Amino acid sequence: MLKKRIIPCLDIRDGRTVKGINFIDIRDAGDPVELAKRYVQEGADELVFLDITATHENRKTLSALVEKISREINIPFTVGGGINSLADVSVIIKAGADKVSINSSAVKRPELITEIAEQFGSQCVVVAIDTKFVNNEWIVYVHGGRIPTLLKTMDWVKQVEELGAGEILLTSMNNDGMKTGFALDITNAVSQAVNIPVIASGGAGTKEHFKEVFSQTKASAALAASIFHFGEIPIPDLKNYLQTEKIPVRCL
Amino acid sequence: MQIAIIKYNAGNIKSVENAVKRLGYDCIVTDNPELIRNAEKVIFPGVGEASSAMQYLKKHHLDSLIKSLTQPTLGICLGQQLMCKYSEENDTDCLGIFDADVKKFPPEELVPHMGWNNIENLKSALFNGISDEDNVYFVHSYYAELSQETIATCQYILPFSAAMQKDNFYATQFHPEKSAWVGERILKNFLEL
């Protein structure tokens, strides 16, 4: 049986992990490779690395980091942040990433989704969507959630699927950082509307939140950052819990 | 031991190379027929589309070379599909090493089949140390049907060939290089054949 995936997200700035705790047996929690290896050992199913500075100057730092991650990590990983062109994608994929995640650049130029899918395959293209519930409607935001667009989330998800997206990473800005649970309504609506995997993101605070999102929506995966970084929910505990609750997960 | 990874117009080769090196083996990524023929083990990886991959292989005479190999050879993902007779993906005649066709998943669940799934009915030294509860990583929209050569099955929408073997030819639909310790063990088993 296909398993529901648990995906820790690591924020990267200048080649370093932005936030993280000092795991006892990790020498340097700021080293993305060390932290990533730790997550792999704990049973993470995939990893997402988000370059939150993503300036032109540090692209080289990022591709060197991606090469290093690829040498050390034996599970799939996605790289996102500041990817604007097919050339950017090519650098990241050739460095060894399995997938790239694009967000604002896909809104700005939707054909980019098709171009990446045609050159590298749909499975490479994760379209990240930041969405917020305003005036009774779910709207797409860009530029790290700072700028609203005119796009309705339900229209945009169907469009990105048609353009060739392989997965949708859906972050509810209303829930992000609140630790009150995932946005079940929009996650369910989106995962019902498209025939590609949806990764739920934003709001995870307890193990029960993961059970909710997997039992009440069709999400294929759930992503979280701080609860894993700060050790609030160890991944093995989360997976054992989900297995007890009859959610299909990969236990080690 | 000389291990050759066949270089052609398919992605994912870097990950396979890294995985082999993590196991402590050296390997070369090459399309040189001499180096491939003389290697002790050959890996035929692949992510991509069947017809353009077959065209490339034919143009570079790698199709007849692969079929003529006598050392243990492992196809991965698209590699397994290309080792079958025929693929529905753009109506492509393939290498015909395995007596099975490759078909598109009916859209009864999400397609591609993407993520971790367990493999069952394991019957090969490739799976020493692996049980049918262990999970491996898949990403594919087409599958090889079950056949006499199936050495592992997987269930998604329908049962299909997760791995196949005929003589010296082995193949997996999943990505051992992305399947954590389970994948490492399978690659190690292959390299120790």
Side-chain angles (χ1 to χ4, degrees), chain B residues 2-191:
Chain B
Q2 187 65 273
I3 299 162
I5 299 175
I6 298 178
K7 181 177 161 185
Y8 67 117
N9 64 335
N12 179 45
I13 289 175
K14 186 98 186 169
S15 301
V16 176
E17 183 187 358
N18 285 336
V20 170
K21 286 182 174 165
R22 273 197 300 271
L23 287 168
Y25 292 93
D26 209 5
C27 60
I28 47 166
V29 178
T30 181
D31 56 4
N32 179 314
E34 211 53 34
L35 289 174
I36 295 170
R37 206 172 284 121
N38 291 331
E40 282 173 65
K41 298 274 158 57
V42 175
I43 299 178
F44 177 41
V47 168
E49 188 274 319
S51 69
S52 59
M54 272 311 294
Q55 268 172 27
Y56 183 96
L57 293 176
K58 280 183 186 161
K59 191 176 159 206
H60 294 80
H61 308 293
L62 290 167
D63 57 333
S64 47
L65 173 74
I66 292 169
K67 283 198 275 189
S68 72
L69 294 174
T70 52
Q71 65 274 58
T73 298
L74 176 69
I76 296 175
C77 194
L78 181 64
Q80 167 173 295
Q81 298 183 3
L82 296 179
M83 287 158 91
C84 292
K85 270 190 310 197
Y86 166 83
S87 172
E88 284 184 359
E89 188 173 23
N90 290 318
D91 191 20
T92 306
D93 286 321
C94 300
L95 298 171
I97 293 167
F98 300 129
D99 188 21
D101 286 344
V102 176
K103 297 178 172 169
K104 178 144 188 156
F105 278 120
E108 287 158 26
E109 302 269 350
L110 303 186
V111 176
H113 172 220
M114 177 189 282
W116 297 82
N117 204 333
N118 59 308
I119 48 177
E120 299 169 297
N121 304 306
L122 311 176
K123 35 181 190 184
S124 166
L126 215 51
F127 302 113
N128 285 345
I130 308 292
S131 87
D132 60 10
E133 295 193 348
D134 288 325
N135 293 287
V136 290
Y137 190 80
F138 290 89
V139 187
H140 59 127
S141 300
Y142 293 80
Y143 67 93
E145 57 184 5
L146 297 177
S147 82
Q148 291 292 325
E149 293 133 347
T150 303
I151 52 169
T153 65
C154 180
Q155 172 68 39
Y156 186 72
I157 301 175
L158 39 76
F160 66 89
S161 291
M164 305 172 89
Q165 188 211 335
K166 185 187 180 188
D167 306 327
N168 58 310
F169 292 101
Y170 296 76
T172 64
Q173 177 60 60
F174 56 87
H175 289 278
E177 76 281 10
K178 288 287 165 185
S179 297
W181 73 267
V182 177
E184 271 179 6
R185 181 65 197 262
I186 293 168
L187 269 182
K188 187 165 178 276
N189 288 340
F190 169 73
L191 295 173

Side-chain angles (χ1 to χ4, degrees), chain A residues 186-225:
Chain A
I186 188 66
T187 304
N188 191 43
V190 171
S191 59
Q192 297 278 358
V194 297
N195 202 36
I196 53 178
V198 173
I199 305 166
S201 159
T206 67
K207 290 184 275 197
E208 289 74 15
H209 294 153
F210 287 87
K211 178 194 167 191
E212 275 170 16
V213 80
F214 288 134
S215 56
Q216 295 178 38
T217 81
K218 282 181 71 192
S220 300
L223 175 141

Side-chain angles (χ1 to χ4, degrees), chain A residues 138 140 151-159 186 189-191 193:
Chain A
W138 287 96
V140 176
L151 286 167
K152 291 177 189 170
T153 301
M154 291 309 295
D155 295 338
W156 180 230
V157 295
K158 285 176 201 152
Q159 198 185 340
I186 188 66
V190 171
S191 59

